[in-house]
Amino acid sequence: MMPFMISMFQSLAHISQSCDDCRQFVVKVFVILCGVFCVLPAVAEEPSAFTFVTYNVENLFDCRHDTLKNDHEFLPDGDRRWTWKRYRKKVNDIARVLHEIGEPNESKVDYTKFHIPDVIVLCEVENDSVIVSLTRRSLLRSAGYRYVITQSEDPRGVDVSILYNPLTFRPDTFFSIRVDSLRGFVPTRDILYIKGTTRAGEKLHVFALHAPSRSSGEMKTRPYRMLVSNTVAHHVDSLLADDPSANIIVAGDFNDYSYNESLKNLSERLCHISKDAKGYNENRTHVHGTYYFQGEWGSLDHILVSPSIASKVTQCNIFDRDWLLELDAHGVLKPKRTYRGTMYNGGVSDHLPLVLKIER
């Protein structure tokens, strides 16, 4: 870079030698360019980690009615009075979360180390419309994210999406995996699969899921979540049989804890890398789970990886910035959700994001 700058300065000086004013102008231009080129290497320096995020964003619905789905509660005249103003705030809040994950977790932010997440799994999104709002019309619009999304048979219209930075992850193929409905249960969300190549030239397989909820009771709904777990396990087994060193990530909202059978099943094949994840600021926030229920922290969101990735993991934490939290009735911090029942609360989600960093 320096020989180029010297050569450019000599050429400009030759052009301006007949004019003192021109010579002074050239010097000023040269000084400015030197400053620019000295800064660029630090800004353009390749990040040391591949950042992966999974985040249940709690009912990211737009305000339009889908005639094929039961989305009435998230309409302006619905039970929750879901307005465009509230919708735009939620979208921008999610964008802010993803943007802040790219900042170094330090008191003094060094923006030369800023790096937006490379791949993001988002659970509980309604459709393409909300993802377009997030990637093209929010505070995140300049990040250049692209996305894939399921078209599930979930009666409320809830889907799973994967956002990716095309500069650091190039998809080769993607598709949805339909989970057969069990008798007596409504259809659940599809599993989303994507395979691509990272900036380091490595193949990466990602499975994103949002397993059936426990709303009808944990024991009654357990077989449905096991069906999802076995479906993922089948595909993982096929990949590992073909290539024991395959790079695989399984992530999302499992609606189960690490001690439940659905997680134990996958842990026989993969490394449950998020099992003991805590908040970045756990010493102050006491966050040691992605979900807070009946006065206790626990994690319904999980990340499992193949051994080839586990050996390169540098950290796995829960993103627990103060503005994502609020105090409960006992003075304990918990996620600040968008609604408390049908009462608008102004928060982002009842879940916190999991952040995984992998050595490049």
Side-chain angles (χ1 to χ4, degrees), residues 158-226:
V158 171
D159 283 305
V160 177
S161 181
I162 296 176
L163 276 56
Y164 62 90
N165 179 355
L167 298 178
T168 58
F169 181 76
R170 185 180 68 252
D172 300 323
T173 187
F174 61 89
F175 52 82
S176 294
I177 302 169
R178 183 61 46 88
V179 179
D180 295 332
S181 297
L182 291 182
R183 180 176 295 180
F185 291 95
V186 298
T188 190
R189 279 74 57 173
D190 292 352
I191 299 162
L192 183 56
Y193 168 76
I194 189 169
K195 180 183 74 172
T197 307
T198 68
R199 189 173 181 175
E202 297 181 328
K203 291 292 181 183
L204 176 63
H205 306 265
V206 177
F207 294 89
L209 63 92
H210 183 187
S213 76
R214 299 174 162 218
S215 59
S216 299
E218 189 279 323
M219 186 173 294
K220 180 180 178 180
T221 55
R222 187 184 305 169
Y224 212 175
R225 288 188 295 280
M226 277 304 301

Side-chain angles (χ1 to χ4, degrees), residues 10-23 26:
Q10 289 174 339
S11 299
L12 289 171
H14 177 73
I15 293 172
S16 64
Q17 55 185 309
S18 60
C19 174
D20 288 339
D21 290 339
C22 290
R23 187 178 295 110
V26 168

Side-chain angles (χ1 to χ4, degrees), residues 301-313:
D301 311 276
H302 306 273
I303 300 176
L304 299 97
V305 301
S306 56
S308 58
I309 291 183
S311 62
K312 296 183 288 186
V313 169

Side-chain angles (χ1 to χ4, degrees), residues 110-149:
D110 179 359
Y111 282 99
T112 64
K113 297 179 181 178
F114 179 83
H115 175 62
I116 60 173
D118 299 281
V119 175
I120 303 161
V121 170
L122 294 181
C123 297
E124 218 163 282
V125 297
E126 184 185 16
N127 50 33
D128 286 81
S129 173
V130 300
I131 301 300
V132 169
S133 293
L134 178 63
T135 57
R136 308 290 166 79
R137 299 175 190 140
S138 75
L139 301 173
L140 208 63
R141 61 187 175 274
S142 61
Y145 279 115
R146 297 179 185 175
Y147 71 93
V148 293
I149 190 171

Side-chain angles (χ1 to χ4, degrees), residues 171-317:
D172 300 323
T173 187
F174 61 89
F175 52 82
S176 294
I177 302 169
R178 183 61 46 88
V179 179
D180 295 332
S181 297
L182 291 182
R183 180 176 295 180
F185 291 95
V186 298
T188 190
R189 279 74 57 173
D190 292 352
I191 299 162
L192 183 56
Y193 168 76
I194 189 169
K195 180 183 74 172
T197 307
T198 68
R199 189 173 181 175
E202 297 181 328
K203 291 292 181 183
L204 176 63
H205 306 265
V206 177
F207 294 89
L209 63 92
H210 183 187
S213 76
R214 299 174 162 218
S215 59
S216 299
E218 189 279 323
M219 186 173 294
K220 180 180 178 180
T221 55
R222 187 184 305 169
Y224 212 175
R225 288 188 295 280
M226 277 304 301
L227 178 59
V228 172
S229 177
N230 285 329
T231 303
V232 173
H234 170 75
H235 287 273
V236 168
D237 287 344
S238 297
L239 289 173
L240 292 176
D242 184 58
D243 178 10
S245 63
N247 297 311
I248 304 170
I249 300 178
V250 177
D253 181 353
F254 288 70
N255 268 310
D256 265 339
Y257 299 100
S258 59
Y259 53 80
N260 291 124
E261 289 302 315
S262 63
L263 270 303
K264 290 181 178 180
N265 180 41
L266 289 171
S267 296
E268 293 175 358
R269 300 159 170 82
L270 302 167
C271 303
H272 191 174
I273 210 71
S274 67
K275 184 177 180 180
D276 299 314
K278 297 180 179 179
Y280 281 100
N281 307 297
E282 193 266 341
N283 289 339
R284 178 170 51 79
T285 63
H286 306 294
V287 168
H288 50 275
T290 62
Y291 189 72
Y292 188 81
F293 182 66
Q294 294 184 346
E296 294 185 1
W297 282 103
S299 286
L300 298 176
D301 311 276
H302 306 273
I303 300 176
L304 299 97
V305 301
S306 56
S308 58
I309 291 183
S311 62
K312 296 183 288 186
V313 169
T314 57
Q315 66 182 69
C316 185
N317 292 95

